[in-house]
Coordinates of all heavy atoms in Angstrom, one line a residue:
M9 N 0.9 -1.2 0.0 CA 0.1 0.0 -0.1 C 0.9 1.3 0.0 O 1.8 1.3 0.7 CB -0.8 0.0 1.2 CG -2.1 0.8 1.1 SD -3.1 0.8 2.6 CE -2.4 2.1 3.5
S10 N 0.6 2.2 -0.9 CA 1.4 3.3 -0.9 C 0.7 4.4 0.0 O -0.4 4.4 0.1 CB 1.5 3.9 -2.4 OG 0.3 4.4 -2.7
E11 N 1.6 5.2 0.6 CA 1.3 6.2 1.5 C 1.8 7.5 1.1 O 3.0 7.7 0.9 CB 1.7 5.9 2.9 CG 1.1 6.8 4.0 CD 1.6 6.5 5.3 OE1 2.3 5.6 5.5 OE2 1.1 7.3 6.2
T12 N 0.9 8.5 0.8 CA 1.5 9.8 0.6 C 1.1 10.7 1.6 O 0.0 10.6 2.4 CB 0.9 10.3 -0.7 OG1 -0.6 10.4 -0.7 CG2 1.3 9.5 -1.9
R13 N 1.9 11.7 1.9 CA 1.5 12.7 2.9 C 2.0 14.1 2.6 O 3.0 14.2 1.8 CB 2.1 12.3 4.2 CG 1.5 13.2 5.4 CD 2.1 12.6 6.8 NE 1.7 11.3 7.1 CZ 2.0 10.7 8.2 NH1 2.5 11.4 9.2 NH2 1.6 9.4 8.6
R14 N 1.3 15.1 2.8 CA 1.6 16.4 2.5 C 2.3 17.0 3.7 O 1.8 16.9 4.8 CB 0.4 17.3 2.2 CG 0.7 18.6 1.6 CD -0.5 19.2 0.9 NE -0.1 20.6 0.3 CZ 0.5 20.7 -0.9 NH1 0.8 19.6 -1.6 NH2 0.8 21.9 -1.3
L15 N 3.7 17.4 3.5 CA 4.5 17.8 4.6 C 5.1 19.2 4.3 O 5.4 19.5 3.2 CB 5.7 16.9 4.8 CG 5.4 15.4 5.2 CD1 6.6 14.6 5.1 CD2 4.8 15.4 6.7
P16 N 5.2 19.9 5.4 CA 5.9 21.2 5.3 C 7.4 21.0 5.4 O 7.9 20.2 6.3 CB 5.4 22.0 6.5 CG 5.0 21.0 7.5 CD 4.6 19.8 6.7
L17 N 8.1 21.5 4.5 CA 9.6 21.4 4.5 C 10.3 22.7 4.5 O 9.8 23.7 4.0 CB 10.0 20.8 3.1 CG 9.3 19.4 2.8 CD1 9.4 19.1 1.3 CD2 9.8 18.2 3.7
R18 N 11.4 22.8 5.2 CA 12.2 23.9 5.3 C 13.4 23.8 4.3 O 14.2 22.9 4.5 CB 12.7 24.1 6.8 CG 13.8 25.0 6.9 CD 13.6 26.4 7.5 NE 12.7 26.5 8.7 CZ 12.1 27.6 9.1 NH1 12.2 28.7 8.3 NH2 11.5 27.6 10.2
C19 N 13.5 24.9 3.5 CA 14.6 24.9 2.6 C 15.9 25.2 3.4 O 15.8 25.9 4.3 CB 14.4 26.1 1.6 SG 15.6 26.3 0.4
Y20 N 16.9 24.5 3.0 CA 18.2 24.6 3.7 C 19.0 25.7 3.2 O 20.1 26.1 3.8 CB 19.0 23.3 3.8 CG 19.6 22.9 2.5 CD1 20.9 23.3 2.1 CD2 18.9 22.1 1.5 CE1 21.5 23.0 1.0 CE2 19.5 21.8 0.3 CZ 20.7 22.3 0.1 OH 21.3 21.9 -1.2
N21 N 18.6 26.2 2.1 CA 19.4 27.4 1.5 C 19.2 28.7 2.4 O 18.2 29.1 2.5 CB 18.9 27.7 0.1 CG 19.6 28.9 -0.6 OD1 20.4 29.6 0.0 ND2 19.1 29.2 -1.7
S22 N 20.3 29.1 3.0 CA 20.2 30.1 4.0 C 19.7 31.5 3.4 O 19.2 32.3 4.1 CB 21.4 30.3 4.8 OG 22.6 30.6 3.8
D23 N 19.9 31.7 2.1 CA 19.3 32.9 1.5 C 17.9 32.8 1.2 O 17.2 33.8 1.0 CB 20.0 33.1 0.2 CG 21.5 33.4 0.3 OD1 21.9 33.9 1.3 OD2 22.3 33.1 -0.6
C24 N 17.3 31.6 1.4 CA 15.9 31.4 1.1 C 15.2 31.1 2.4 O 14.4 31.8 2.9 CB 15.7 30.3 0.1 SG 14.1 29.7 -0.2
N25 N 15.5 29.9 3.0 CA 15.0 29.5 4.3 C 13.5 29.5 4.4 O 12.9 29.7 5.5 CB 15.6 30.4 5.4 CG 15.8 29.7 6.7 OD1 16.1 28.5 6.7 ND2 15.7 30.4 7.8
R26 N 12.8 29.3 3.3 CA 11.3 29.3 3.3 C 10.8 28.0 3.6 O 11.4 26.9 3.4 CB 10.9 29.8 2.1 CG 11.1 31.3 1.8 CD 10.7 31.9 0.6 NE 9.2 32.1 0.5 CZ 8.7 33.0 -0.3 NH1 9.4 33.5 -1.2 NH2 7.4 33.2 -0.2
I27 N 9.6 27.9 3.9 CA 8.8 26.7 4.2 C 7.8 26.5 3.0 O 7.2 27.4 2.6 CB 8.1 26.7 5.6 CG1 9.1 26.8 6.6 CG2 7.2 25.5 5.7 CD1 8.5 27.1 8.0
Y28 N 8.0 25.3 2.4 CA 7.1 24.9 1.4 C 6.4 23.6 1.7 O 7.0 22.7 2.5 CB 7.8 24.9 0.0 CG 9.1 24.1 -0.1 CD1 9.0 22.8 -0.6 CD2 10.3 24.6 0.4 CE1 10.1 22.0 -0.8 CE2 11.4 23.8 0.3 CZ 11.4 22.5 -0.2 OH 12.6 21.8 -0.4
E29 N 5.3 23.3 1.0 CA 4.7 22.0 1.2 C 4.8 21.1 0.0 O 4.7 21.7 -1.2 CB 3.2 22.2 1.5 CG 3.0 22.7 2.9 CD 1.6 22.5 3.4 OE1 0.7 22.2 2.6 OE2 1.3 22.8 4.6
L30 N 5.1 19.8 0.2 CA 5.1 18.9 -1.0 C 4.3 17.7 -0.5 O 4.3 17.3 0.7 CB 6.5 18.5 -1.3 CG 7.4 19.5 -2.1 CD1 8.8 18.9 -2.2 CD2 6.7 20.0 -3.3
T31 N 3.7 17.0 -1.4 CA 3.0 15.7 -1.2 C 4.2 14.7 -1.6 O 4.5 14.6 -2.6 CB 1.8 15.6 -2.0 OG1 0.9 16.6 -1.7 CG2 1.1 14.3 -1.8
L32 N 4.5 14.0 -0.6 CA 5.5 13.0 -0.7 C 5.1 11.5 -0.6 O 4.2 11.3 0.2 CB 6.6 13.2 0.4 CG 7.3 14.6 0.4 CD1 8.1 14.8 1.7 CD2 8.0 14.8 -0.8
E33 N 5.6 10.7 -1.5 CA 5.4 9.3 -1.4 C 6.3 8.6 -0.3 O 7.5 8.8 -0.6 CB 5.6 8.7 -2.8 CG 5.5 7.2 -2.9 CD 4.0 6.8 -3.1 OE1 3.3 7.5 -3.9 OE2 3.7 5.8 -2.5
L34 N 5.7 8.1 0.7 CA 6.6 7.6 1.8 C 7.1 6.2 1.7 O 8.1 5.9 2.3 CB 5.9 7.8 3.1 CG 5.4 9.3 3.4 CD1 4.7 9.4 4.7 CD2 6.5 10.3 3.5
E35 N 6.3 5.5 1.0 CA 6.6 4.0 1.1 C 7.8 3.6 0.2 O 8.0 4.1 -0.9 CB 5.4 3.2 0.6 CG 4.4 3.0 1.7 CD 5.0 2.5 3.0 OE1 5.7 1.4 3.0 OE2 4.8 3.1 4.1
G36 N 8.6 2.8 0.8 CA 9.7 2.0 0.0 C 10.9 2.9 -0.4 O 11.6 2.5 -1.3
Q37 N 10.9 4.0 0.2 CA 12.2 4.8 -0.1 C 12.9 5.3 1.2 O 12.1 6.0 1.9 CB 12.0 5.8 -1.1 CG 10.6 6.4 -1.2 CD 10.3 7.0 -2.6 OE1 11.2 7.0 -3.4 NE2 9.2 7.5 -2.7
P38 N 14.1 5.2 1.3 CA 14.8 5.7 2.5 C 15.0 7.1 2.6 O 15.0 7.8 3.6 CB 16.1 4.9 2.5 CG 16.4 4.6 1.2 CD 15.0 4.4 0.5
R39 N 15.0 7.7 1.4 CA 15.1 9.1 1.2 C 14.5 9.7 0.0 O 14.4 9.0 -1.0 CB 16.6 9.7 1.4 CG 17.6 9.0 0.4 CD 19.0 9.5 0.5 NE 19.4 9.5 2.0 CZ 20.4 10.3 2.5 NH1 21.0 11.1 1.8 NH2 20.7 10.2 3.7
L40 N 14.2 10.9 0.0 CA 13.6 11.5 -1.1 C 14.2 12.8 -1.5 O 14.8 13.5 -0.8 CB 12.1 12.0 -0.7 CG 11.2 10.9 -0.5 CD1 9.8 11.5 0.1 CD2 10.8 10.2 -1.8
R41 N 14.2 13.0 -2.9 CA 14.7 14.2 -3.4 C 13.6 15.3 -3.5 O 12.5 14.9 -4.0 CB 15.3 14.0 -4.8 CG 16.7 13.6 -4.9 CD 17.3 13.8 -6.3 NE 17.6 15.2 -6.6 CZ 18.2 15.5 -7.7 NH1 18.2 14.8 -8.7 NH2 18.5 16.8 -7.9
V42 N 13.9 16.4 -3.0 CA 12.9 17.5 -3.1 C 13.6 18.7 -3.6 O 14.7 18.8 -3.7 CB 12.2 17.8 -1.7 CG1 11.5 16.6 -1.1 CG2 13.4 18.2 -0.7
Q43 N 12.6 19.6 -4.2 CA 13.2 20.9 -4.7 C 12.3 22.0 -4.3 O 11.1 21.9 -4.2 CB 13.1 20.8 -6.2 CG 13.9 22.0 -6.9 CD 14.0 21.8 -8.4 OE1 13.2 21.2 -9.0 NE2 15.0 22.5 -8.9
C44 N 13.0 23.0 -3.8 CA 12.3 24.1 -3.3 C 11.7 24.9 -4.5 O 12.4 25.2 -5.4 CB 13.3 25.1 -2.6 SG 12.6 26.6 -1.9
P45 N 10.4 25.2 -4.4 CA 9.7 25.9 -5.5 C 10.0 27.4 -5.5 O 9.8 28.1 -6.5 CB 8.2 25.7 -5.2 CG 8.1 25.5 -3.7 CD 9.4 24.9 -3.3
Y46 N 10.6 27.9 -4.5 CA 11.0 29.3 -4.4 C 12.4 29.7 -5.1 O 12.5 30.6 -5.8 CB 11.0 29.9 -2.9 CG 9.5 29.7 -2.4 CD1 9.4 28.8 -1.3 CD2 8.5 30.6 -2.7 CE1 8.1 28.6 -0.8 CE2 7.3 30.4 -2.3 CZ 7.0 29.4 -1.2 OH 5.8 29.3 -0.7
C47 N 13.4 28.9 -4.6 CA 14.7 29.2 -5.2 C 15.3 28.1 -6.0 O 16.5 28.2 -6.5 CB 15.6 29.4 -3.9 SG 16.0 27.9 -2.9
G48 N 14.6 26.9 -6.1 CA 15.1 25.9 -7.0 C 16.2 25.0 -6.4 O 16.6 24.2 -7.1
T49 N 16.5 25.2 -5.1 CA 17.5 24.4 -4.5 C 17.0 23.0 -4.2 O 15.9 22.8 -3.6 CB 18.0 25.0 -3.2 OG1 18.5 26.3 -3.5 CG2 19.0 24.2 -2.5
S50 N 17.7 22.0 -4.7 CA 17.2 20.6 -4.4 C 18.0 20.0 -3.3 O 19.2 20.4 -3.1 CB 17.3 19.8 -5.7 OG 18.5 19.9 -6.2
G51 N 17.4 19.2 -2.5 CA 17.9 18.5 -1.4 C 17.3 17.2 -1.1 O 16.5 16.7 -2.0
T52 N 17.6 16.6 0.0 CA 17.1 15.4 0.3 C 16.3 15.3 1.7 O 16.8 16.2 2.5 CB 18.1 14.2 0.3 OG1 19.1 14.6 1.2 CG2 18.7 14.0 -1.1
V53 N 15.4 14.6 1.8 CA 14.8 14.3 3.1 C 15.0 12.9 3.4 O 14.7 12.0 2.7 CB 13.2 14.6 3.1 CG1 12.5 14.3 4.4 CG2 13.0 16.0 2.7
T54 N 15.5 12.7 4.6 CA 15.8 11.3 5.1 C 14.6 10.8 5.8 O 14.4 11.2 6.9 CB 17.1 11.2 5.9 OG1 18.1 11.8 5.3 CG2 17.4 9.8 6.3
L55 N 13.8 9.9 5.2 CA 12.6 9.4 5.7 C 12.8 8.5 6.8 O 12.0 8.5 7.8 CB 11.8 8.7 4.5 CG 11.2 9.6 3.5 CD1 10.4 8.8 2.6 CD2 10.2 10.7 4.1
N56 N 13.8 7.7 6.7 CA 14.1 6.7 7.7 C 14.2 7.2 9.2 O 13.9 6.5 10.1 CB 15.1 5.8 7.4 CG 14.9 4.7 6.4 OD1 13.8 4.5 6.0 ND2 15.9 4.0 5.9
R57 N 14.6 8.4 9.2 CA 14.9 9.1 10.4 C 13.5 9.2 11.3 O 13.4 9.4 12.4 CB 15.5 10.4 10.2 CG 15.9 11.2 11.4 CD 16.7 12.3 10.9 NE 17.9 11.9 10.3 CZ 18.8 12.8 9.7 NH1 18.5 14.1 9.7 NH2 19.9 12.4 9.1
Y58 N 12.4 9.3 10.4 CA 11.2 9.6 11.1 C 10.2 8.4 11.1 O 9.1 8.6 11.4 CB 10.5 10.8 10.4 CG 11.4 11.9 10.1 CD1 11.8 12.3 8.8 CD2 11.9 12.7 11.2 CE1 12.8 13.4 8.7 CE2 12.9 13.7 11.1 CZ 13.2 14.0 9.8 OH 14.1 15.1 9.6
R59 N 10.7 7.4 10.7 CA 9.9 6.2 10.7 C 9.8 5.5 12.1 O 10.9 5.4 12.7 CB 10.4 5.1 9.7 CG 9.5 4.0 9.4 CD 10.3 2.9 8.6 NE 10.9 3.4 7.3 CZ 10.3 3.3 6.1 NH1 9.1 2.7 6.1 NH2 10.8 3.7 5.1
I60 N 8.7 5.1 12.5 CA 8.5 4.5 13.8 C 8.0 3.2 13.6 O 6.9 3.0 12.9 CB 7.5 5.4 14.8 CG1 8.1 6.8 14.9 CG2 7.4 4.7 16.1 CD1 7.1 7.7 15.6
I61 N 8.5 2.2 14.2 CA 8.0 0.9 14.1 C 7.8 0.4 15.5 O 8.6 0.4 16.4 CB 8.9 -0.1 13.3 CG1 9.1 0.3 11.9 CG2 8.5 -1.5 13.5 CD1 10.2 -0.3 11.1
R62 N 6.4 0.1 15.7 CA 6.0 -0.3 17.0 C 5.8 -1.9 17.0 O 5.2 -2.3 16.1 CB 4.7 0.3 17.5 CG 4.9 1.6 17.8 CD 3.5 2.2 18.5 NE 3.4 3.6 18.3 CZ 3.0 4.3 17.3 NH1 2.6 3.6 16.2 NH2 3.0 5.5 17.2
D63 N 6.6 -2.6 17.9 CA 6.4 -4.0 18.0 C 5.3 -4.4 18.9 O 5.3 -3.9 20.0 CB 7.7 -4.7 18.4 CG 8.8 -4.7 17.3 OD1 8.3 -5.0 16.2 OD2 9.9 -4.4 17.5
N64 N 4.4 -5.2 18.4 CA 3.3 -5.6 19.3 C 3.4 -7.1 19.4 O 3.5 -7.8 18.4 CB 1.9 -5.3 18.6 CG 1.8 -3.9 18.2 OD1 2.0 -3.0 19.0 ND2 1.4 -3.6 17.0
T65 N 3.6 -7.5 20.6 CA 3.8 -9.0 20.8 C 2.5 -9.4 21.6 O 2.2 -8.9 22.6 CB 5.0 -9.3 21.6 OG1 6.1 -8.9 20.9 CG2 5.1 -10.9 21.8
I66 N 1.7 -10.3 20.9 CA 0.5 -10.7 21.5 C 0.8 -12.1 22.0 O 1.1 -13.0 21.2 CB -0.6 -10.7 20.5 CG1 -0.8 -9.4 19.8 CG2 -1.9 -11.2 21.1 CD1 -1.5 -9.3 18.5
T67 N 0.6 -12.3 23.3 CA 0.7 -13.6 23.8 C -0.7 -14.4 23.8 O -1.6 -13.9 24.4 CB 1.3 -13.5 25.3 OG1 2.5 -12.6 25.3 CG2 1.7 -14.9 25.8
R68 N -0.6 -15.5 23.2 CA -1.8 -16.3 23.2 C -1.5 -17.8 23.7 O -0.3 -18.0 23.8 CB -2.2 -16.4 21.7 CG -2.8 -15.2 21.3 CD -3.5 -15.4 19.9 NE -4.1 -14.2 19.3 CZ -4.4 -14.0 18.0 NH1 -4.2 -15.0 17.2 NH2 -4.8 -12.9 17.5
S69 N -2.5 -18.4 23.9 CA -2.2 -19.8 24.4 C -1.5 -20.5 23.1 O -2.0 -20.4 21.9 CB -3.5 -20.5 24.7 OG -4.3 -20.5 23.7
G70 N -0.5 -21.1 23.3 CA 0.3 -21.8 22.2 C 1.4 -21.0 21.6 O 2.1 -21.4 20.7
G71 N 1.6 -19.8 22.1 CA 2.8 -19.1 21.7 C 2.6 -17.6 21.5 O 1.5 -17.1 21.9
E72 N 3.6 -17.0 21.0 CA 3.5 -15.5 20.8 C 3.2 -15.2 19.3 O 3.8 -15.8 18.4 CB 4.8 -14.9 21.2 CG 5.0 -14.9 22.6 CD 6.3 -14.2 23.0 OE1 7.2 -14.0 22.2 OE2 6.4 -13.7 24.2
E73 N 2.6 -14.2 19.1 CA 2.4 -13.6 17.7 C 2.9 -12.2 17.6 O 2.6 -11.4 18.4 CB 1.0 -13.6 17.5 CG 0.6 -13.6 16.0 CD -1.0 -13.7 15.9 OE1 -1.4 -14.8 16.1 OE2 -1.6 -12.7 15.5
K74 N 3.8 -12.2 16.7 CA 4.5 -10.8 16.6 C 4.0 -10.1 15.5 O 3.8 -10.6 14.3 CB 6.0 -11.0 16.4 CG 6.6 -11.3 17.8 CD 8.1 -11.0 17.8 CE 8.6 -11.5 19.1 NZ 9.8 -11.3 19.6
S75 N 3.7 -8.9 15.6 CA 3.4 -8.0 14.5 C 4.0 -6.6 14.8 O 4.2 -6.3 15.9 CB 1.8 -7.9 14.3 OG 1.2 -7.2 15.4
S76 N 4.1 -5.8 13.8 CA 4.6 -4.5 13.9 C 3.8 -3.5 13.2 O 3.3 -3.9 12.1 CB 6.1 -4.4 13.7 OG 6.4 -4.7 12.4
T77 N 3.6 -2.4 13.7 CA 2.9 -1.3 13.0 C 3.9 -0.2 12.8 O 4.7 0.2 13.5 CB 1.7 -0.8 13.8 OG1 2.1 -0.6 15.1 CG2 0.5 -1.8 13.7
E78 N 3.7 0.2 11.5 CA 4.7 1.3 11.1 C 3.9 2.7 11.2 O 2.8 2.8 10.7 CB 5.1 1.0 9.7 CG 6.4 1.6 9.4 CD 6.9 1.0 8.0 OE1 7.5 0.0 8.0 OE2 6.7 1.7 7.0
G79 N 4.7 3.7 11.6 CA 4.0 5.0 11.6 C 5.1 6.0 11.3 O 6.2 5.7 11.0
W80 N 4.7 7.2 11.3 CA 5.7 8.3 11.0 C 5.5 9.4 12.0 O 4.5 9.7 12.5 CB 5.3 8.9 9.6 CG 5.4 7.8 8.5 CD1 4.4 7.2 8.1 CD2 6.6 7.6 7.8 NE1 4.9 6.3 7.0 CE2 6.2 6.6 6.9 CE3 8.0 8.0 7.8 CZ2 7.1 6.1 6.0 CZ3 8.8 7.4 6.9 CH2 8.4 6.4 6.0
S81 N 6.6 10.0 12.4 CA 6.6 11.1 13.3 C 7.5 12.2 12.7 O 8.8 12.2 12.7 CB 7.2 10.7 14.6 OG 7.4 11.8 15.5
F82 N 6.9 13.1 12.0 CA 7.7 14.2 11.4 C 7.6 15.5 12.2 O 6.6 15.8 12.8 CB 7.0 14.6 10.1 CG 7.1 13.5 9.0 CD1 6.2 12.6 8.7 CD2 8.4 13.3 8.3 CE1 6.3 11.6 7.7 CE2 8.6 12.4 7.4 CZ 7.5 11.5 7.2
P83 N 8.8 16.1 12.2 CA 8.8 17.5 12.9 C 8.1 18.4 11.9 O 7.9 18.1 10.7 CB 10.2 17.8 13.0 CG 11.0 17.0 11.9 CD 10.1 15.8 11.7
S84 N 7.7 19.6 12.3 CA 7.2 20.6 11.4 C 7.8 21.9 11.6 O 7.7 22.5 12.7 CB 5.7 20.7 11.8 OG 5.0 21.6 10.9
P85 N 8.5 22.4 10.5 CA 8.7 21.8 9.3 C 9.8 20.7 9.3 O 10.7 20.7 10.2 CB 9.1 23.0 8.4 CG 9.8 23.9 9.3 CD 9.1 23.7 10.7
V86 N 9.7 19.9 8.3 CA 10.8 18.8 8.1 C 12.0 19.5 7.6 O 11.9 20.1 6.6 CB 10.3 17.7 7.2 CG1 11.4 16.6 7.1 CG2 9.0 17.1 7.7
P87 N 13.1 19.3 8.2 CA 14.5 19.9 7.6 C 14.8 19.2 6.3 O 14.8 17.9 6.3 CB 15.4 19.7 8.7 CG 14.9 18.5 9.6 CD 13.4 18.5 9.4
V88 N 15.3 20.0 5.4 CA 15.8 19.3 4.2 C 17.3 19.4 4.3 O 17.9 20.4 4.7 CB 15.2 20.2 2.9 CG1 15.9 19.7 1.6 CG2 13.8 20.1 2.8
E89 N 17.9 18.4 3.8 CA 19.4 18.3 3.8 C 20.0 18.5 2.5 O 19.4 18.3 1.5 CB 19.9 16.9 4.4 CG 19.4 16.7 5.8 CD 19.0 15.2 6.0 OE1 19.8 14.3 5.6 OE2 17.9 14.9 6.4
A90 N 21.3 19.0 2.5 CA 22.0 19.3 1.2 C 22.2 18.0 0.6 O 22.4 16.8 1.2 CB 23.3 19.9 1.6
E91 N 22.2 17.9 -0.8 CA 22.4 16.7 -1.6 C 23.8 16.3 -1.4 O 24.8 17.1 -1.3 CB 22.2 17.0 -3.0 CG 20.6 17.0 -3.2 CD 20.5 17.0 -4.7 OE1 20.7 18.1 -5.3 OE2 20.0 16.0 -5.4
E92 N 24.1 15.0 -1.4 CA 25.5 14.5 -1.2 C 26.2 14.5 -2.6 O 25.5 14.4 -3.6 CB 25.4 13.1 -0.7 CG 25.1 13.1 0.8 CD 24.4 11.7 1.2 OE1 24.7 10.8 0.5 OE2 23.9 11.7 2.3
Ligands
ZN11 ZN1 14.5 27.7 -1.2

């Protein structure tokens, strides 16, 4: 299942430093390339940093059942990093 989310991002260009929103596809990628619509500076957002995995262990008769739920915890705005 794909998950998209609209996030506020902070441009890392110190001459710009503006906040812009982008709809990002979150699933299946550790980092995303983004581009500031104001100054055109492109950078990356490291998604894995904000991924939260909760382990749920359910104990039943006959054993344990493990499952994990995945969620996201983003700061607002999300910092954009310089491209490597
Ligand atoms: Zn910018």
